[in-house]
Amino acid sequence: MSVKASYAKMNQYIHLLTSTGIGLPTDLWVPATTDAPAQNNWQTALGLAKDLPDLSTTISLEGYYKESKNVITYREGANFLMIDDPENANEVKWEDNITSGIGWSYGVELLAHRKSGRLTGWVGYTLSWTKLQFDEVNNGNPYWARYDRRHDVSLVAVYELSKGVTLSGTWVYGTGNAITLPLATYPLQEHYPVSPDWQWTYNVQDYGKKNNFRMAPYHRLDIGVQFHKKFEKHERTWEFSIYNAYNRRNPFIYFVRTEYDYNPNTGESTSTTKLKQLSLFQLIPSASWSIKF
Amino acid sequence: MQRVVFFFAVILISISSCIDDVDNIKLPNVEPKLVVQSFITPNDSVKVHVWLSSPINYNVTSGGDYYDDEFVVISNADVLLTNQSGTEQMLVPFDSSLDYYALSPQEFGIQMGETYTLSVISPEYGAITASTTVPSYVPIVSSVELDTLNENEWGDVRGILTGYLTDEGGVENYYAAHVFNYSEYTDGEDTNSYISFATRMLISDKGYDGEDMPFRVDFSLSVYEDHLVHLYALSVDEHYYRFHRSLDNVGDFEDNPFTESTHLYTNIEGGLGVFASYVSADVVIISE
């Protein structure tokens, strides 16, 4: 049994800017500048590890806590691709679109790793929480980060079926991303100080609290079989595998669409507002050939 | 042949994306909220709009077609306006001809520097409260200038209105410069005036405390309309400033897949909307 503890202070000179809406997910990496100073973090961790020689397995359990300052995010309503006139491109400062705040994350990780024998691989489980707080976002209240992942599971196994033939399988599971979903619509008017009233009514969306909605969890199974053959100076491997073997439709993005229907017999019109998901990368079979010197 | 069909079927499944209805997770279910909007100013009527928000009931079919986007106006609420000391308090009656609650300045006079609380109690949809402090400073337009440039061969004109507002020192202030162009048309013997465009700029005195603050408003004028530009300079409270700033984001970036969701600013406790105040300087009229 071994015990390990660590404390680290880190400065990160590159920032991750992550979108929070239900639209196209965009992760942008931007450099630290005077207006967006380097992210300042400290992290502490405490872990236990034990070898189980009879099972050729190492089990480790680790807890961690991390705090970050100068975390950045988009201001509400911001748009990173805001250059609408090339003539003004040099006048546009991307820092105007962001605001800085704090973040904190904590959790525990459990890992069982078998490194030798006919069956090798690992089982990993992470239970974690990640929150952010910005004075100018969500009325200053803390909210879940987009990539806050309450449960994260990974199972990886490689089995030596016979000499030169191995089977492999990977199953991953993760809690869905935290996103902001429109909850209602409402009217509001811009103020014009003229009489009689000259008004334009906006149809505005009410989003409730920031990142208060979870996408469906992500999970998939990848399986494969490998045929190895050793030659005098190299090793050749044929691999046949299937990505997302049970054809799970994991959500890539969500979007809202209102569908209208008209019944000509009754003259009745109906509408249904639907939340739709776009899924990418369903079942993908593949074959590969490789040599290793 | 079957192998070829199978091969292409697998390829098609693999590379195609897929759009589905989301029905495997719990979708939000929210109750309608009161939406209140009122901008008060001295020497003008108190006007209070009260609507009801329309919850998005995902995957629930309801009546209504594409053009049916009317919102419910709440006309049976108790709308109460009170000053800070409680010495002035009055129910604002609903005016069915205007579709909002209104009080004339003779019935309830709004005072500069005074804090007012608005409460709306609906028998069906609960209660909201909000407060605003009317600015105590009348903005001063220290200079204003209109430049015009020919924009195109049809004679349309690009207008650039620039000027300075003098800030009141020592306190945090917000301003709005509204610019309108009035044009006229004749209908028989009648001559009518209409607003051909309206735009504005929001100004904070951050970095200009007690100094002259520059403003610039750009716009276009058609050759077919009169050019009679009006500048309305307002001192506004923070709620007015923050609400319109967030409203600008909604207007600028809607339908843009790269934009962030915009939580429209609200100071309404228990509901949505805005209760804000302003004080207006004399209108500056600039004709070309």
Side-chain angles (χ1 to χ4, degrees):
Chain A
M1 169 81 80
S2 61
V3 179
K4 55 185 178 182
S6 67
Y7 174 83
K9 264 182 88 70
M10 299 158 282
N11 285 327
Q12 183 177 307
Y13 295 92
I14 187 167
H15 293 284
L16 174 62
L17 257 178
T18 302
S19 60
T20 61
I22 59 169
L24 202 61
T26 52
D27 284 345
L28 293 173
W29 290 94
V30 294
T33 65
T34 308
D35 294 331
Q39 191 172 310
N40 178 251
N41 313 287
W42 69 267
Q43 178 174 325
T44 183
L46 178 66
L48 302 171
K50 183 171 178 59
D51 286 330
L52 303 173
D54 295 344
L55 297 172
S56 305
T57 300
T58 302
I59 295 177
S60 63
L61 178 67
E62 185 172 304
Y64 69 94
Y65 181 85
K66 179 180 179 180
E67 268 189 22
S68 304
K69 292 177 183 171
N70 298 333
V71 179
I72 63 170
T73 191
Y74 291 106
R75 289 179 194 278
E76 291 187 356
N79 168 27
F80 202 88
L81 304 177
M82 61 182 184
I83 300 170
D84 50 12
D85 183 355
E87 288 184 14
N88 300 333
N90 289 334
E91 298 170 14
V92 174
K93 282 183 70 181
W94 62 266
E95 290 100 325
D96 292 341
N97 256 344
I98 61 157
T99 182
S100 65
I102 59 172
W104 61 98
S105 179
Y106 51 91
V108 289
E109 296 178 354
L110 176 67
L111 179 71
H113 193 175
R114 191 168 199 263
K115 295 175 181 173
S116 60
R118 290 184 71 180
L119 178 66
T120 57
W122 67 83
V123 178
Y125 171 68
T126 304
L127 175 66
S128 67
W129 293 261
T130 304
K131 278 200 157 185
L132 301 169
Q133 191 272 326
F134 300 88
D135 290 344
E136 296 183 41
V137 177
N138 199 36
N139 294 322
N141 297 315
Y143 61 91
W144 300 116
R146 182 186 182 97
Y147 296 124
D148 169 61
R149 189 161 294 176
R150 190 72 62 255
H151 306 286
D152 185 288
V153 180
S154 62
L155 303 174
V156 176
V158 177
Y159 181 70
E160 189 176 352
L161 190 65
S162 63
K163 189 170 173 59
V165 181
T166 54
L167 302 175
S168 63
T170 302
W171 185 75
V172 292
Y173 174 94
T175 303
N177 291 340
I179 59 169
T180 308
L181 195 65
L183 303 177
T185 57
Y186 63 100
L188 273 178
Q189 296 174 342
E190 186 172 355
H191 174 250
Y192 294 102
V194 290
S195 192
D197 292 341
W198 197 74
Q199 299 289 8
W200 173 260
T201 302
Y202 287 82
N203 187 343
V204 185
Q205 291 181 320
D206 174 25
Y207 290 94
K209 293 174 184 170
K210 187 123 180 143
N211 284 3
N212 208 26
F213 180 77
R214 290 283 172 174
M215 294 174 74
Y218 180 97
H219 55 89
R220 68 163 213 271
L221 173 69
D222 303 336
I223 55 174
V225 56
Q226 297 84 31
F227 299 96
H228 310 275
K229 188 166 186 180
K230 286 190 174 174
F231 294 89
E232 192 175 332
K233 292 184 177 176
H234 66 277
E235 181 181 330
R236 180 269 292 151
T237 302
W238 271 103
E239 177 171 5
F240 300 92
S241 62
I242 299 176
Y243 173 91
N244 196 2
Y246 55 82
N247 199 30
R248 160 76 176 174
R249 291 178 177 175
N250 288 303
F252 176 60
I253 60 169
Y254 284 155
F255 59 95
V256 177
R257 179 180 289 168
T258 302
E259 295 175 350
Y260 299 93
D261 192 28
Y262 174 71
N263 185 333
N265 297 323
T266 62
E268 186 185 4
S269 296
T270 58
S271 65
T272 309
T273 301
K274 290 186 172 176
L275 186 65
K276 301 262 187 179
Q277 74 167 46
L278 172 68
S279 311
L280 301 177
F281 305 126
Q282 299 176 62
L283 182 147
I284 301 178
S286 67
S288 69
W289 177 86
S290 62
I291 56 171
K292 191 164 66 179
F293 295 99
Chain B
M1 183 61 187
Q2 281 181 334
R3 287 181 183 175
V4 174
V5 171
F6 177 75
F7 175 76
F8 280 106
V10 168
I11 295 295
L12 197 64
I13 289 171
S14 302
I15 63 174
S16 63
S17 60
C18 184
I19 293 176
D20 298 303
D21 292 349
V22 176
D23 53 11
N24 56 350
I25 50 175
K26 188 183 176 188
L27 291 168
N29 184 15
V30 297
E31 295 295 319
K33 294 179 185 173
L34 288 175
V35 181
V36 175
Q37 177 169 307
S38 179
F39 300 101
I40 59 172
T41 188
N43 306 318
D44 198 2
S45 302
V46 172
K47 303 163 191 165
V48 183
H49 292 269
V50 184
W51 295 287
L52 199 61
S53 71
S54 178
I56 300 171
N57 295 308
Y58 290 100
N59 299 341
V60 176
T61 299
S62 59
D65 55 30
Y66 183 80
Y67 302 100
D68 186 11
D69 59 354
E70 291 291 314
F71 288 94
V72 174
V73 174
I74 301 295
S75 59
N76 63 342
D78 288 334
V79 176
L80 188 68
L81 188 63
T82 315
N83 69 352
Q84 190 171 29
S85 60
T87 54
E88 286 189 81
Q89 189 176 54
M90 191 166 272
L91 272 172
V92 187
F94 185 76
D95 187 328
S96 54
S97 65
L98 298 170
D99 240 15
Y100 55 73
Y101 298 79
L103 267 181
S104 70
Q106 291 75 32
E107 295 171 290
F108 196 102
I110 301 295
Q111 306 296 323
M112 287 172 61
E114 179 68 274
T115 298
Y116 294 93
T117 299
L118 181 71
S119 62
V120 177
I121 302 168
S122 161
E124 297 93 0
Y125 303 106
I128 65 91
T129 59
S131 296
T132 179
T133 300
V134 182
S136 56
Y137 176 67
V138 179
I140 298 169
V141 181
S142 55
S143 71
V144 63
E145 187 177 335
L146 176 64
D147 287 334
T148 53
L149 302 165
N150 285 330
E151 192 168 66
N152 55 36
E153 63 267 34
W154 297 288
D156 292 342
V157 167
R158 181 181 176 194
I160 305 167
L161 189 73
T162 55
Y164 287 88
L165 292 176
T166 303
D167 179 51
E168 176 195 24
V171 288
E172 198 170 276
N173 287 312
Y174 301 93
Y175 302 91
H178 286 263
V179 179
F180 296 84
N181 187 59
Y182 286 84
S183 194
E184 292 182 341
Y185 69 94
T186 52
D187 181 13
E189 293 182 355
D190 297 330
T191 300
N192 298 299
S193 175
Y194 69 98
I195 296 170
S196 65
F197 83 83
T199 186
R200 62 161 158 71
M201 179 181 178
L202 297 165
I203 305 159
S204 160
D205 69 349
K206 191 177 176 184
Y208 291 97
D209 187 44
E211 299 175 11
D212 281 354
M213 301 173 299
F215 66 87
R216 170 184 169 139
V217 182
D218 291 56
F219 48 86
S220 290
L221 298 171
S222 167
V223 69
Y224 298 111
E225 63 194 19
D226 304 316
H227 298 169
L228 198 59
V229 178
H230 287 50
L231 169 67
Y232 293 78
L234 314 181
S235 284
V236 300
D237 75 336
E238 186 179 356
H239 304 309
Y240 186 109
Y241 177 84
R242 294 183 65 181
F243 168 76
H244 283 93
R245 273 200 64 161
S246 63
L247 193 63
D248 286 346
N249 291 332
V250 171
D252 282 347
F253 300 128
E254 62 187 6
D255 299 329
N256 184 335
F258 294 103
T259 192
E260 281 293 276
S261 56
T262 302
H263 294 65
L264 195 64
Y265 177 77
T266 180
N267 66 331
I268 307 290
E269 290 179 30
L272 298 164
V274 63
F275 176 48
S277 55
Y278 65 97
V279 171
S280 178
D282 291 337
V283 180
V284 181
I285 303 172
I286 311 128
S287 56
E288 196 187 347

